[in-house]
Amino acid sequence: MAGPGALLAVLALAAGAAGGSCPQRCVCASNILSCSQAVLSSVPAPLPRFTAVLDLSHNNLSRLRADWAPGRLAHLHALLLSHNGLAFVSTEAFAHVPHLRHLDLSSNRLRALEENLFSDLAELEVLLLYNNEIAAVDRTAFDNLGRLRKLYLGQNHIARFPLELLREGSRLPQLALLDLSANRLRSLPVAELQALPAWLRDRLYLHGNPLACDCPLFQLVARGWRRRLSAVLDFQEELRCLPQDSGVPVSILALAGRELLNCSEAREAVLEAHLGDTVTLGCDSRLRAAHSRHWVTPGGEQVPEEAGNGSAAVLANGSLQLRALRPEDAGTYACRVAGPALNETLYVELLVHNFTLHGPHDGLNTAYTTLVGCILSVVLVLIYLYLTPCRCCCRGADKTPAPRDDSLNSSVLSATPNHAAGEPPQPRSTAGPRAPPGGQNGRFKAGGTPPAVAVAGAREGPRAQRKLSDPDSVSSVFSDTPIVV
């Protein structure tokens, strides 16, 4: 009859045949397999199929090939490969561990994240890649990681990270922490980062990068400081940038000083609108899983969650919608958020301009109207200056011209009357040349008709005399000699 020792040996062999024995130089505790600091140059085999946690850190594994796990490890959810000097990871290396939730590849020698590198890890939640030599990140490297919550990429050589992965509805919809600290980022898409939800910006670590100083960067960091975001408060001394005229890093929060860029003060949330508009005030809380959200108007009234008061309503995502804005709707609104661990109050300032804005073409219409008005004004001035009829044009065509001696010019400028008082006027002689007409003191009268022209005018008749007398009449009107009555 076999003893108890033999029975235990049989059970151990059966267990080893079913699930595999503990590899040499490793420690097995239940479903945990620890092979750390075992001076391994390859993954030990065989691995027990029931392994849930596999620790291979602090070894000499320089390459992780597709066949590192000869069989499928359906229960494995944590794989630790840090401090191994890994320089290559196959894109098929994780095909046998589909339920992996925690992957640690930190403190290795990885230089690039190739396309679809982690696409087989649909259930991955935490990915540690810090303290490597990563300089290139393919935007498809994180495809199919819909459950990833934490991504650590600090202390690498990354000069550009595809931040479009963080947009709402992107490849990483559940991401709540992104560590890009101590890399080689020189500029940031501030507008895109500011548009991210506060619960993601609260864990977006950017300290330790050689960022170029500018006011948009200051506004981003200053808003985070006002909101008490952890990524800013915990590392505000390490949030530094490089001025253009100096290679000495300065604090980003000090850029508001006059000796630097003199950036304007950051304002958390200011929304401008016009009378009659419909606006939506967002409640951008740090708490991703909030129990409740309550809005309070500038007058101190709380907006009901189920239905608004006619012009205000709380939407399903916690935002406040205001319809048909009035001047009294302007002011500061408060959003009070209650979470499982803490509460938060956010403030949104609404400015209502006291005029309506009908559409985007109003500015163009105003400019067009002003231009047309200016052109019409110039045309009217030109018409007034050049097309106004003169006095000579207003005379009748059939009016008989007055005698030369009775013209306004001779009567005004001549000191001697045309004929003596009481004497009848002498008839005009048509024979022979006429003597030059006398003016003041017997001098030739300026503007008078020359003798030759007078003879020609006598021959051509009254038409020629009228044409020659018109300039005389005009010159007499504009003469500097005072009129003698």
Side-chain angles (χ1 to χ4, degrees), residues 341-376:
L342 55 89
N343 300 330
E344 185 180 19
T345 301
L346 308 176
Y347 298 95
V348 181
E349 183 180 357
L350 176 62
L351 303 178
V352 180
H353 296 290
N354 196 19
F355 60 89
T356 59
L357 189 64
H358 298 288
H361 303 289
D362 286 354
L364 179 62
N365 294 337
T366 303
Y368 178 76
T369 304
T370 304
L371 178 62
V372 171
C374 292
I375 295 176
L376 290 178

Side-chain angles (χ1 to χ4, degrees), residues 83-397:
H83 298 277
N84 269 288
L86 276 173
F88 171 78
V89 176
S90 172
T91 55
E92 300 177 356
F94 307 108
H96 301 294
V97 288
H99 303 296
L100 201 65
R101 298 196 302 269
H102 184 101
L103 176 60
D104 186 359
L105 292 171
S106 63
S107 299
N108 283 292
R109 299 175 57 187
L110 298 176
R111 296 185 178 182
L113 300 181
E114 305 293 341
E115 58 180 350
N116 300 314
L117 180 59
F118 307 106
S119 59
D120 291 326
L121 303 176
E123 300 181 11
L124 191 65
E125 298 179 1
V126 179
L127 177 58
L128 292 85
L129 292 164
Y130 62 86
N131 195 25
N132 275 276
E133 301 174 5
I134 300 173
V137 179
D138 192 275
R139 65 180 58 193
T140 64
F142 307 104
D143 279 0
N144 202 31
L145 297 183
R147 297 186 182 181
L148 188 65
R149 297 185 297 106
K150 298 179 181 180
L151 176 58
Y152 295 88
L153 285 166
Q155 301 181 35
N156 279 286
H157 303 161
I158 300 174
R160 183 191 178 279
F161 181 79
L163 290 173
E164 57 268 17
L165 300 178
L166 307 180
R167 296 173 184 170
E168 186 176 359
S170 64
R171 297 182 178 91
L172 305 174
Q174 300 296 324
L175 191 65
L177 185 150
L178 175 61
D179 181 14
L180 291 172
S181 62
N183 275 280
R184 298 181 180 179
L185 299 174
R186 297 187 178 274
S187 62
L188 297 174
V190 176
E192 295 184 11
L193 294 180
Q194 189 60 42
L196 296 177
W199 52 263
L200 179 54
R201 287 186 286 119
D202 187 50
R203 295 291 188 271
L204 178 59
Y205 298 96
L206 298 168
H207 57 277
N209 282 283
L211 298 170
C213 294
D214 55 23
C215 286
L217 177 63
F218 165 76
Q219 297 284 345
L220 176 68
V221 177
R223 287 191 179 99
W225 185 81
R226 290 170 60 93
R227 291 292 307 276
R228 317 295 294 177
L229 300 182
S230 300
V232 178
L233 290 182
D234 298 343
F235 299 95
Q236 57 181 322
E237 296 298 330
E238 300 179 43
L239 282 168
R240 308 179 74 83
C241 62
L242 297 173
Q244 295 181 355
D245 55 352
S246 174
V248 180
V250 299
S251 174
I252 297 178
L253 293 175
L255 294 181
R258 295 183 178 180
E259 67 276 7
L260 295 174
L261 298 181
N262 195 21
C263 298
S264 59
E265 186 67 20
R267 305 176 69 180
E268 174 56 28
V270 179
L271 183 63
E272 298 186 16
H274 302 82
L275 292 179
D277 287 354
T278 298
V279 297
T280 301
L281 309 183
C283 188
D284 190 16
S285 173
R286 293 180 300 164
L287 308 177
R288 187 174 188 181
H291 291 168
S292 61
R293 287 181 172 87
H294 301 283
W295 282 93
V296 179
T297 65
E301 300 179 358
Q302 181 172 333
V303 180
E305 294 186 10
E306 293 78 10
N309 57 4
S311 61
V314 179
L315 303 181
N317 60 358
S319 301
L320 178 64
Q321 187 181 72
L322 302 175
R323 298 180 294 271
L325 287 180
R326 301 165 297 175
E328 54 268 24
D329 292 331
T332 302
Y333 291 79
C335 178
R336 298 174 180 174
V337 185
L342 55 89
N343 300 330
E344 185 180 19
T345 301
L346 308 176
Y347 298 95
V348 181
E349 183 180 357
L350 176 62
L351 303 178
V352 180
H353 296 290
N354 196 19
F355 60 89
T356 59
L357 189 64
H358 298 288
H361 303 289
D362 286 354
L364 179 62
N365 294 337
T366 303
Y368 178 76
T369 304
T370 304
L371 178 62
V372 171
C374 292
I375 295 176
L376 290 178
S377 300
V378 173
V379 171
L380 292 176
V381 170
L382 294 177
I383 291 176
Y384 176 78
L385 292 177
Y386 295 99
L387 299 181
T388 302
C390 61
R391 298 185 182 183
C392 59
C393 300
C394 299
R395 298 179 179 178

Side-chain angles (χ1 to χ4, degrees), residues 392 395-404 428 449 453-472:
C392 59
R395 298 179 179 178
D398 54 347
K399 183 177 180 180
T400 304
R404 183 71 182 175
R428 181 177 300 177
T449 305
V453 178
V455 174
R459 294 177 180 177
E460 294 178 5
R463 182 181 301 272
Q465 294 181 7
R466 183 175 67 251
K467 292 181 180 180
L468 293 176
S469 63
D470 291 341
D472 295 340

